[in-house]
């Protein structure tokens, strides 16, 4: 009950918070331009909030994976902004700085980014990967047993709307020949629609296998459903998604590598996956 409630609150957080940060940053800049006066408190607003807005924009427009759990620059900027704001203690800018700046940054990094992932007894190294069924982009069903007989790298990703997922898949596409040379099949699975999956495959010119997990059926079998994981305001993807999950399974269907990240911004680097593949006998 409490976990579901927190999940719904998280769903409401990201886009409204980002919008308010942009509004407050613009208001701070407007003050200095229109009032023709300098204010430490209003400067503190920009210093505390702008770096996180910039970070979110960079992740969205220039996506990359492998970001660390704790991003230092926004935290240090928020602390500096809070210090500048309390020099004058003007009510409105100080409130903005402490609430949207320091408070918002800490919430984003230490609460919102955390997937609250529980221990998964199903996806243990050495265990057999449970059976599941997915669909091709054309709508044909495929059972997981069809992937047996060769090493398989499974990437369960949230959807086209997730910039970190996009970055992870793009990085895989760039190193795909290195992976294929090792005789490994790469299988991408997402609960998004076949049309959106086809769009991603076309945009990134993917030669990897792309499948659709309709209604998160496979994710439910594996215990990796992320309830209320799609942010409010992201249309066309439903409310639930999948917890980002990377698995390497050997020819016999046994799990030999599992990355069950507990932070949506952090994914295993391709070099890490290649090293793990090289270690599979």
């Amino acid at each position: 009950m409490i976990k579901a409630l927190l999940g719904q609150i998280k769903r409401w957080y990201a886009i409204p918070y980002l919008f308010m940060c942009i509004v407050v940053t613009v208001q701070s800049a407007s003050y200095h331009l229109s009032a023709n006066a300098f204010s430490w408190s209003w400067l503190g607003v920009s210093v505390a909030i702008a770096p996180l807005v910039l970070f979110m924009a960079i992740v969205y427009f220039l996506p990359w994976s492998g970001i660390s759990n704790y991003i230092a620059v926004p935290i240090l900027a928020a602390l500096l902004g809070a210090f500048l704001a309390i020099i004058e203690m003007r009510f409105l800018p100080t409130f903005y700085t402490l609430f949207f700046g320091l408070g918002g940054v800490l919430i984003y990094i230490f609460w919102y980014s955390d997937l609250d992932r529980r221990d998964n007894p199903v996806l243990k190294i050495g265990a057999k990967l449970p059976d599941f069924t997915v669909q091709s982009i054309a709508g044909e069903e495929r059972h997981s047993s069809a992937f047996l007989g060769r090493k398989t790298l499974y990437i369960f990703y949230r959807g086209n709307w997730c910039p970190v997922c996009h970055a992870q898949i793009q990085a895989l596409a760039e190193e795909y020949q290195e992976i294929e040379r090792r005789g490994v099949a790469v299988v991408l699975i997402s609960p998004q629609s076949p049309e959106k999956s086809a769009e991603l495959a076309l945009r990134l010119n993917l030669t990897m296998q792309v499948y659709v997990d309709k209604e998160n059926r496979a994710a439910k079998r594996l215990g990796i459903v992320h309830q209320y994981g799609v942010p409010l305001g992201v249309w066309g993807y439903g409310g639930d998604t999948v917890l980002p999950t990377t698995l390497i399974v050997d020819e016999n269907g046994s799990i030999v590598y599992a990355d069950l990240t507990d932070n949506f911004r952090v994914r295993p680097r391709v070099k890490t996956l290649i090293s793990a593949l090289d270690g599979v006998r």
Side-chain angles (χ1 to χ4, degrees):
M1 175 73 75
I2 295 177
K3 184 178 179 180
L5 177 61
L6 291 175
Q8 293 188 58
I9 293 173
K10 278 189 177 183
R11 191 171 184 232
W12 279 83
Y13 171 80
I15 293 180
Y17 172 68
L18 180 59
F19 175 76
M20 288 304 302
C21 282
I22 294 172
V23 170
V24 168
T25 302
V26 170
Q27 186 176 354
S28 172
S30 299
Y31 173 85
H32 287 104
L33 292 173
S34 61
N36 195 27
F38 178 79
S39 167
W40 286 108
S41 291
W42 280 108
L43 177 62
V45 173
S46 298
V47 170
I49 296 175
L52 182 61
V53 174
L54 180 61
F55 171 81
M56 289 180 173
I58 290 173
V59 170
Y60 186 82
F61 292 107
L62 299 172
W64 78 93
S65 59
I67 304 169
S68 63
N69 285 31
Y70 308 116
I71 42 179
V73 172
I75 295 176
L76 294 175
L79 291 170
L80 176 59
F83 174 76
L84 295 175
I86 62 176
I87 291 176
E88 294 178 341
M89 286 298 291
R90 299 176 64 174
F91 175 76
L92 187 58
T94 300
F95 170 75
Y96 283 162
T97 302
L98 296 180
F99 186 79
F100 292 108
L102 184 59
V105 167
L106 294 178
I107 287 173
Y108 173 78
I109 294 174
F110 294 100
W111 177 69
Y112 179 77
S113 298
D114 180 36
L115 295 172
D116 191 25
R117 197 164 195 166
R118 302 289 189 250
D119 183 55
N120 190 319
V122 174
L123 302 181
K124 296 288 188 182
I125 292 177
K128 290 286 186 180
L129 183 68
D131 294 337
F132 60 86
T133 301
V134 290
Q135 291 183 342
S136 69
I137 293 175
E140 300 170 345
E141 289 201 350
R142 187 166 191 184
H143 192 266
S144 57
S145 60
F147 302 116
L148 295 175
R150 64 186 298 194
K151 287 176 284 191
T152 304
L153 170 60
Y154 290 97
I155 305 291
F156 289 86
Y157 68 102
R158 304 196 291 177
N160 293 3
W161 61 270
C162 172
V164 183
C165 296
H166 184 282
Q168 181 185 23
I169 295 170
Q170 184 174 340
L172 280 169
E174 292 170 355
E175 298 289 340
Y176 179 64
Q177 288 185 341
E178 280 295 310
I179 298 173
E180 188 180 39
R181 189 168 60 84
R182 289 163 169 79
V184 179
V186 181
V187 177
L188 309 177
I189 302 173
S190 169
Q192 66 184 359
S193 68
E195 293 77 16
K196 288 182 170 60
S197 295
E199 175 191 333
L200 180 69
L202 181 63
R203 187 194 319 149
L204 296 181
N205 193 27
L206 298 179
T207 53
M208 298 174 279
Q209 302 178 57
V210 181
Y211 290 94
V212 175
D213 182 15
K214 189 175 181 180
E215 298 177 354
N216 276 306
R217 292 171 185 168
K220 290 174 183 175
R221 285 277 297 160
L222 302 182
I224 54 174
V225 175
H226 187 187
Q227 191 177 26
Y228 309 117
V230 180
L232 193 72
V234 176
W235 309 111
Y237 293 89
D240 297 342
T241 185
V242 63
L243 291 165
T245 301
T246 303
L247 304 171
I248 296 176
V249 177
D250 68 13
E251 297 87 343
N252 300 314
S254 295
I255 300 170
V256 295
Y257 173 91
D259 184 279
L260 312 181
T261 181
D262 58 3
N263 187 312
F264 78 85
R265 292 181 285 103
V266 181
R267 310 296 168 84
R269 298 183 185 276
V270 178
K271 288 183 179 180
T272 301
L273 298 177
I274 291 176
S275 295
L277 288 169
D278 288 341
V280 178
R281 301 302 178 193

